[in-house]
Amino acid sequence: MSLLKAAIIGGGHIADQNHIPALKKLSDQVEIVAVCGRDLNKTRLIADQHLIPGAFDNLESMFNSCELDLVVNCTPNNLHYDYTMQALKNGCHVLCEKPPAMTATEARKMADLAIEKGKILAYNFQRRQTSEYLLLKKLLSEGQLGEVYHIKANYLRRRGIPGWGNFTNKTIQGGGALIDLGVHILDLALGMMDYQTPDKVVGNIYDFIGKTGGKGLKGQWDPAKFDVDDACFAYLTFPDNKSIAVSCSFALNQKEEEIINLEVFGSKAGAVLNPISLHTEVAGELADIQFPFLEETDTQLKNTKAFIDAILGKQTNICLGEEGAVLQEIVEKIYLSAGL
């Protein structure tokens, strides 16, 4: 099989530290031939550092100069839609960073165009690839949880407002804690419920700490320029009487520095994701089952491999365009419910 030709769009940290190393580890299947970024000097430095032959500062030049099979879109949120659409129109499969887009309409158009072009559109929700989540999904598929009817999904930081980048800029990001952190845990929860579309969505968002300022554990932010949500709480209900409670925060006055977890409640058993445990009955007695020997995994590598496998027609668990459209619609409904 000939190597798939890949390009990276966006020359920032996540491209340099996550996506390029993952693709290089799959050098038996894919070859990175180009990087495209707005700052050509910076882009050339990254290309030279990783021995990538092409460096460009606009997509048109890159597509005209290179024969490409796939692109990885590592740009800021407000560029996901435009660049992904251009890549799909140029006949490329696309792995796009999360969140899918800025709006539900954008995410839907991206998913529809991928189907029209016969291309794979996937999103980089790499937390799907942890050993804990894969085991949780296996427990579900084997029927050990019974019917899952409620999930508590939490991604909470005590004081984790990023003091760098554009994370507090609504124009570039589209939102704050929900669109940056909440989408990760919401994706996992929806995956436990066959990615259904909820019939009711209620949400509340807050910006008390973000607008006031204070001690930061991930750098110092500027309260005067903070215009996104620092906390979000939402409740989703589904037509079959199932529900998901989502809580996420950049900054919340809680005890723990960070909480990333699912609590899953089923008719036969319940489970907690981190550390994973099963809560059930054994021989007529209540029992908690632990799984202490799970291996740590390179989740970025596994998610990139899942993307390549999807291109090759193999069955994978990567988040595809249709699921991304459902997720983005829920995010939008939460913000609309909260009055935004």
Side-chain angles (χ1 to χ4, degrees), residues 10 62 81 143 145 168 171 182 200 254 263 271 274 291 316 326-327:
M62 183 181 75
Y81 172 74
L145 299 175
T168 64
T171 301
K200 295 179 182 178
Q254 64 180 23
E263 293 180 66
N274 294 315
F291 302 87
T316 76
V326 172
L327 177 67

mmCIF file of all heavy atoms in Angstrom, residues 10 62 81 143 145 168 171 182 200 254 263 271 274 291 316 326-327:
data_model
loop_
_atom_site.group_PDB
_atom_site.id
_atom_site.type_symbol
_atom_site.label_atom_id
_atom_site.label_comp_id
_atom_site.label_asym_id
_atom_site.label_seq_id
_atom_site.Cartn_x
_atom_site.Cartn_y
_atom_site.Cartn_z
ATOM 1 N N GLY A 10 -2.177 24.626 10.672
ATOM 2 C CA GLY A 10 -1.981 25.214 11.993
ATOM 3 C C GLY A 10 -0.635 24.789 12.549
ATOM 4 O O GLY A 10 -0.342 23.593 12.615
ATOM 5 N N MET A 62 -1.015 25.523 -0.830
ATOM 6 C CA MET A 62 -0.703 24.164 -0.406
ATOM 7 C C MET A 62 -1.438 23.134 -1.260
ATOM 8 O O MET A 62 -0.839 22.169 -1.746
ATOM 9 C CB MET A 62 -1.057 23.973 1.069
ATOM 10 C CG MET A 62 -0.689 22.591 1.600
ATOM 11 S SD MET A 62 -1.137 22.369 3.339
ATOM 12 C CE MET A 62 -2.921 22.157 3.201
ATOM 13 N N TYR A 81 -14.302 25.502 10.743
ATOM 14 C CA TYR A 81 -15.276 25.332 9.657
ATOM 15 C C TYR A 81 -14.672 25.660 8.300
ATOM 16 O O TYR A 81 -14.712 24.834 7.376
ATOM 17 C CB TYR A 81 -16.500 26.211 9.922
ATOM 18 C CG TYR A 81 -17.483 26.254 8.780
ATOM 19 C CD1 TYR A 81 -18.318 25.170 8.507
ATOM 20 C CD2 TYR A 81 -17.593 27.384 7.963
ATOM 21 C CE1 TYR A 81 -19.221 25.204 7.455
ATOM 22 C CE2 TYR A 81 -18.498 27.428 6.914
ATOM 23 C CZ TYR A 81 -19.304 26.336 6.669
ATOM 24 O OH TYR A 81 -20.197 26.371 5.623
ATOM 25 N N GLY A 143 -23.401 -6.156 28.396
ATOM 26 C CA GLY A 143 -24.631 -6.174 29.184
ATOM 27 C C GLY A 143 -24.438 -6.151 30.680
ATOM 28 O O GLY A 143 -25.409 -6.313 31.442
ATOM 29 N N LEU A 145 -23.769 -3.691 32.596
ATOM 30 C CA LEU A 145 -24.377 -2.517 33.230
ATOM 31 C C LEU A 145 -25.897 -2.544 33.134
ATOM 32 O O LEU A 145 -26.569 -1.786 33.831
ATOM 33 C CB LEU A 145 -23.856 -1.228 32.587
ATOM 34 C CG LEU A 145 -22.366 -0.969 32.690
ATOM 35 C CD1 LEU A 145 -21.992 0.278 31.904
ATOM 36 C CD2 LEU A 145 -21.926 -0.827 34.145
ATOM 37 N N THR A 168 -9.922 32.662 26.599
ATOM 38 C CA THR A 168 -10.886 33.561 27.233
ATOM 39 C C THR A 168 -11.497 34.533 26.232
ATOM 40 O O THR A 168 -12.171 35.477 26.627
ATOM 41 C CB THR A 168 -10.227 34.344 28.375
ATOM 42 O OG1 THR A 168 -9.194 35.194 27.852
ATOM 43 C CG2 THR A 168 -9.616 33.397 29.400
ATOM 44 N N THR A 171 -14.811 35.517 20.683
ATOM 45 C CA THR A 171 -14.816 35.655 19.229
ATOM 46 C C THR A 171 -14.016 34.548 18.565
ATOM 47 O O THR A 171 -14.395 34.031 17.510
ATOM 48 C CB THR A 171 -14.236 37.019 18.814
ATOM 49 O OG1 THR A 171 -15.028 38.060 19.400
ATOM 50 C CG2 THR A 171 -14.244 37.184 17.307
ATOM 51 N N GLY A 182 -15.929 20.884 28.506
ATOM 52 C CA GLY A 182 -17.183 20.146 28.598
ATOM 53 C C GLY A 182 -17.432 19.223 27.422
ATOM 54 O O GLY A 182 -18.016 18.145 27.581
ATOM 55 N N LYS A 200 -34.769 17.539 25.482
ATOM 56 C CA LYS A 200 -34.787 18.738 26.319
ATOM 57 C C LYS A 200 -33.373 19.047 26.802
ATOM 58 O O LYS A 200 -32.627 18.142 27.179
ATOM 59 C CB LYS A 200 -35.705 18.550 27.529
ATOM 60 C CG LYS A 200 -37.183 18.390 27.184
ATOM 61 C CD LYS A 200 -38.019 18.191 28.440
ATOM 62 C CE LYS A 200 -39.493 17.978 28.080
ATOM 63 N NZ LYS A 200 -40.320 17.734 29.302
ATOM 64 N N GLN A 254 -14.090 24.659 44.434
ATOM 65 C CA GLN A 254 -14.229 23.292 44.903
ATOM 66 C C GLN A 254 -12.949 22.875 45.615
ATOM 67 O O GLN A 254 -11.927 23.552 45.551
ATOM 68 C CB GLN A 254 -14.491 22.344 43.731
ATOM 69 C CG GLN A 254 -13.329 22.259 42.743
ATOM 70 C CD GLN A 254 -13.607 21.306 41.587
ATOM 71 O OE1 GLN A 254 -14.743 21.020 41.253
ATOM 72 N NE2 GLN A 254 -12.555 20.805 40.953
ATOM 73 N N GLU A 263 -19.866 9.167 36.086
ATOM 74 C CA GLU A 263 -20.565 8.231 36.961
ATOM 75 C C GLU A 263 -21.745 7.707 36.170
ATOM 76 O O GLU A 263 -22.621 8.482 35.755
ATOM 77 C CB GLU A 263 -21.026 8.916 38.241
ATOM 78 C CG GLU A 263 -19.895 9.356 39.153
ATOM 79 C CD GLU A 263 -20.409 10.023 40.415
ATOM 80 O OE1 GLU A 263 -21.049 9.325 41.234
ATOM 81 O OE2 GLU A 263 -20.210 11.243 40.564
ATOM 82 N N ALA A 271 -21.044 2.374 37.388
ATOM 83 C CA ALA A 271 -19.599 2.403 37.203
ATOM 84 C C ALA A 271 -19.098 3.828 37.341
ATOM 85 O O ALA A 271 -19.819 4.795 37.094
ATOM 86 C CB ALA A 271 -19.219 1.855 35.831
ATOM 87 N N ASN A 274 -12.931 7.104 36.485
ATOM 88 C CA ASN A 274 -11.561 7.378 36.947
ATOM 89 C C ASN A 274 -11.458 7.434 38.478
ATOM 90 O O ASN A 274 -11.965 8.380 39.070
ATOM 91 C CB ASN A 274 -11.075 8.713 36.367
ATOM 92 C CG ASN A 274 -10.916 8.681 34.874
ATOM 93 O OD1 ASN A 274 -10.378 7.747 34.304
ATOM 94 N ND2 ASN A 274 -11.401 9.715 34.206
ATOM 95 N N PHE A 291 -10.259 -2.493 38.843
ATOM 96 C CA PHE A 291 -9.472 -2.953 37.701
ATOM 97 C C PHE A 291 -8.088 -2.302 37.780
ATOM 98 O O PHE A 291 -7.805 -1.342 37.062
ATOM 99 C CB PHE A 291 -10.171 -2.598 36.388
ATOM 100 C CG PHE A 291 -11.560 -3.175 36.263
ATOM 101 C CD1 PHE A 291 -12.659 -2.485 36.766
ATOM 102 C CD2 PHE A 291 -11.755 -4.405 35.667
ATOM 103 C CE1 PHE A 291 -13.939 -3.009 36.648
ATOM 104 C CE2 PHE A 291 -13.035 -4.942 35.550
ATOM 105 C CZ PHE A 291 -14.130 -4.251 36.049
ATOM 106 N N THR A 316 -13.785 1.642 13.551
ATOM 107 C CA THR A 316 -13.067 2.314 14.633
ATOM 108 C C THR A 316 -14.054 2.992 15.569
ATOM 109 O O THR A 316 -15.264 3.039 15.297
ATOM 110 C CB THR A 316 -12.093 3.390 14.087
ATOM 111 O OG1 THR A 316 -12.844 4.544 13.699
ATOM 112 C CG2 THR A 316 -11.299 2.881 12.901
ATOM 113 N N VAL A 326 -24.129 16.335 16.136
ATOM 114 C CA VAL A 326 -25.026 16.169 17.287
ATOM 115 C C VAL A 326 -24.447 16.880 18.511
ATOM 116 O O VAL A 326 -25.155 17.609 19.225
ATOM 117 C CB VAL A 326 -25.250 14.670 17.586
ATOM 118 C CG1 VAL A 326 -26.008 14.490 18.900
ATOM 119 C CG2 VAL A 326 -26.004 14.010 16.445
ATOM 120 N N LEU A 327 -23.159 16.692 18.770
ATOM 121 C CA LEU A 327 -22.513 17.309 19.920
ATOM 122 C C LEU A 327 -22.579 18.834 19.838
ATOM 123 O O LEU A 327 -22.921 19.511 20.821
ATOM 124 C CB LEU A 327 -21.058 16.852 19.998
ATOM 125 C CG LEU A 327 -20.207 17.448 21.111
ATOM 126 C CD1 LEU A 327 -20.699 16.984 22.470
ATOM 127 C CD2 LEU A 327 -18.746 17.073 20.933
#
